[in-house]
Amino acid sequence: MQTHRFYEFGPFRIDTRERTLLRDGETVPLTPKAFDTLLVLAQNSPNLVKRDELIKAVWPDSFVEEGNLNFNISVL
């Protein structure tokens, strides 16, 4: 069973069980990989997450171009 965790910053709240991002209580639509990217960053805050580490965390079993990560960051 997954632990129900929340991460809050400014008007935002990440609900890990529901895999949702809320802004002032309203759902912010995100793709699954954009959500995963945000979650890795939130879980490691306030530490810096290196690009290679972030790619490995979000795409553990795939080879992806840096453009995929850049796209997710721009969405966020």
Side-chain angles (χ1 to χ4, degrees):
M1 183 170 167
Q2 181 180 356
T3 303
H4 198 176
R5 290 200 122 142
F6 297 98
Y7 296 92
E8 295 182 326
F9 52 99
F12 295 97
R13 181 178 185 160
I14 299 171
D15 181 332
T16 60
R17 183 183 304 157
E18 298 298 321
R19 291 186 52 82
T20 56
L21 173 65
L22 303 171
R23 180 178 185 178
D24 296 324
E26 298 291 323
T27 301
V28 177
L30 291 176
T31 64
K33 290 299 184 186
F35 181 85
D36 292 343
T37 302
L38 179 60
L39 185 57
V40 170
L41 294 172
Q43 289 171 331
N44 288 282
S45 179
N47 299 317
L48 177 69
V49 180
K50 293 181 180 181
R51 178 178 292 272
D52 291 342
E53 293 170 357
L54 188 52
I55 289 172
K56 286 178 187 175
V58 176
W59 292 275
D61 298 321
S62 304
F63 173 80
V64 296
E65 301 277 332
E66 285 188 16
N68 296 64
L69 178 60
N70 294 342
F71 177 78
N72 284 345
I73 296 296
S74 72
V75 167
L76 296 173

